[in-house]
Amino acid sequence: MLQQLREKYDYAPQLVFTGSDKGNKAFIQEQIAALGLREQVVFAGFVSREDLILLYRQAVALVYPSFCGPENIPPLEAMALGCPALVGAIDGAFEQLGDAALLLSPTDPEAWVEGVQRLRHDAVFRAALSAKGRKRAESFTANEFARGLFAIMDKFAAYRRCWPENKVS
């Protein structure tokens, strides 16, 4: 995606990776070097809460093309701080984020390039996505999470009652 942004739009944004290495960092660094993108990529590792807030507030967007989830915290963190989120359109992502994030196929780099470009150049869209994101993130309180968890357990209990060897009273 960085290479396409640079070649197609003469735009060379900085990409900042945060968090600890879960075993894939060396591979990612090799790919970055092979594409000639070292000057655009920072591996910040674990960052303080204050630094993370600064990153979100200064970013064009959180770019989160994950294949995992959908219960991922970074999109909600970004949205809570008004940072638009581009997130992988995986099972459950819409249920978690609704229309408050731009959901894109994690395997379609061109869609991500166009999403970044739209956020850069369409101020009305950017402001609307930011506002929706803040509102959506505010709905994820501890009470709401607990209510949702209990609703899931109540639904599951009804299924378990149908299993003769595991009667639930």
Side-chain angles (χ1 to χ4, degrees):
M1 181 179 91
L2 288 178
Q3 189 176 35
Q4 288 112 326
L5 283 166
R6 188 172 62 190
E7 292 172 358
K8 188 173 180 179
Y9 295 105
D10 194 31
Y11 175 53
Q14 187 173 52
L15 176 64
V16 179
F17 285 99
T18 61
S20 60
D21 178 13
K22 301 296 183 190
N24 208 25
K25 182 178 176 182
F27 172 76
I28 293 170
Q29 288 175 318
E30 289 172 16
Q31 298 302 306
I32 289 166
L35 294 169
L37 298 170
R38 281 188 191 164
E39 71 281 356
Q40 285 179 248
V41 180
V42 173
F43 288 89
F46 180 81
V47 296
S48 69
R49 176 182 283 195
E50 294 79 19
D51 288 343
L52 189 60
I53 289 169
L54 271 172
L55 285 169
Y56 284 136
R57 289 196 171 144
Q58 294 175 355
V60 169
L62 169 72
V63 178
Y64 201 77
S66 180
F67 289 95
C68 301
E71 297 298 326
N72 293 311
I73 300 300
L76 294 174
E77 289 174 335
M79 291 170 16
L81 292 166
C83 178
L86 283 70
V87 180
I90 58 171
D91 289 343
F94 183 78
E95 289 78 7
Q96 180 187 22
L97 305 173
D99 65 350
L102 190 55
L103 301 178
L104 305 165
S105 169
T107 61
D108 184 358
E110 187 62 32
W112 293 81
V113 167
E114 296 308 315
V116 168
Q117 283 298 99
R118 185 170 181 199
L119 286 172
R120 287 182 62 221
H121 296 292
D122 186 340
V124 172
F125 174 70
R126 180 179 173 78
L129 194 62
S130 179
K132 286 179 186 178
R134 282 182 190 269
K135 185 175 181 181
R136 185 72 177 197
E138 287 170 4
S139 73
F140 284 90
T141 64
N143 287 338
E144 289 302 315
F145 180 80
R147 276 191 207 108
L149 191 57
F150 285 129
I152 290 168
M153 291 190 306
D154 288 345
K155 185 177 179 181
F156 183 71
Y159 289 118
R160 293 278 295 174
R161 282 193 288 274
C162 296
W163 300 347
E165 70 276 1
N166 292 310
K167 288 284 184 188
V168 175
S169 48

